[in-house]
Amino acid sequence: MSVVPFIEGNRILEIGHGPGHLQRILLTLRHRSGQARNLFAVGIDESAQMGRLAKRNLTRRSSSLRSSQQANFHSPSQPAYTQINLTRGVGQHLPFPDEAFDTIFATFPTEYITDPGTLAEVKRCLSDGGRFIILPVAWPKNRLLDWLFKVTSQSPTEAMEIVKSRLEEPFVHAGFISEIHTVEVQSSTLLIVLATKPSR
């Protein structure tokens, strides 16, 4: 959910969709700034099992949205859900045409996300000025971690800066304009990489 405010455009790809939690959010994301959005959201995952689980979760969600739509007498020309688009594949070989997406994102991915093959494929599939959003890590907020920093004479801020610079490096090397955002949530601090494909 924390990556959603960073999403731009209407053509969106999630790499590693897992059980489909963010795809479900995208199904219901119909309004931003008071204007209806016709999202084309796609999810790709290497795991066939995750694909089946996500499809089941999204099919249930679509059914409940259709029921809600009928109960609220929405016009048939403005459906309250979008089509479910899931496919199986890996980040290093995205089965999509050049510049197919405005935003590509991944949450808590493994090291494949910084693989040069993945970064090249993402860059190819993004439109000019498109965004690659990665939520690679959540920094927990707890007393034990605070105590460990204190006992080892380390600063959480210093450790965070080291992590940020290491996270940003592969995206810069791949030719993205990269920045790291921190988002505070109740139990942790999230680090979000925002890598933008430069416009030609």
Side-chain angles (χ1 to χ4, degrees):
M1 181 72 175
S2 299
V3 299
V4 172
F6 295 95
I7 292 173
E8 289 188 349
N10 293 334
R11 301 171 302 150
I12 301 163
L13 171 64
E14 179 181 15
I15 300 176
H17 61 66
H21 299 306
L22 282 169
Q23 289 292 312
R24 188 178 68 231
I25 290 168
L26 292 174
L27 281 172
T28 60
L29 186 61
R30 298 285 299 155
H31 299 283
R32 180 179 274 182
S33 303
Q35 296 195 351
R37 294 186 68 190
N38 293 318
L39 295 179
F40 177 70
V42 178
I44 186 169
D45 202 296
E46 183 176 13
S47 168
Q49 182 178 357
M50 283 297 159
R52 287 189 296 274
L53 179 59
K55 186 173 183 177
R56 185 171 54 241
N57 289 340
L58 293 170
T59 302
R60 275 192 227 136
R61 180 67 180 163
S62 289
S63 297
S64 70
L65 285 172
R66 277 193 293 272
S67 298
S68 169
Q69 175 187 6
Q70 291 167 352
N72 292 325
F73 304 105
H74 286 239
S75 79
S77 64
Q78 293 187 351
Y81 64 97
T82 58
Q83 182 177 352
I84 297 168
N85 298 298
L86 301 176
T87 191
R88 188 167 174 214
V90 295
Q92 295 89 341
H93 304 284
L94 295 174
F96 307 106
D98 294 357
E99 300 185 6
F101 298 100
D102 303 312
T103 296
I104 298 175
F105 71 92
T107 55
F108 304 110
T110 60
E111 64 277 352
Y112 76 87
I113 207 68
T114 56
D115 179 279
T118 301
L119 295 175
E121 279 291 276
V122 166
K123 197 170 181 185
R124 179 185 66 76
C125 290
L126 275 174
S127 59
D128 284 347
R131 289 181 160 192
F132 185 26
I133 304 163
I134 307 93
L135 171 54
V137 66
W139 199 274
K141 294 179 186 176
N142 65 47
R143 289 184 202 154
L144 177 60
L145 189 59
D146 291 340
W147 178 80
L148 284 173
F149 278 118
K150 189 174 185 176
V151 170
T152 59
S153 300
Q154 294 181 349
S155 162
T157 305
E158 289 171 10
M160 182 79 79
E161 290 307 314
I162 291 168
V163 170
K164 283 181 177 181
S165 69
R166 288 187 181 162
L167 282 175
E168 193 173 25
E169 195 174 294
F171 302 98
V172 171
H173 281 37
F176 288 95
I177 300 166
S178 182
E179 55 190 82
I180 306 285
H181 293 265
T182 55
V183 176
E184 298 292 330
V185 295
Q186 184 176 354
S187 62
S188 59
T189 299
L190 306 176
L191 295 181
I192 297 177
V193 178
L194 178 57
T196 304
K197 179 181 174 180
S199 297
R200 291 184 218 162

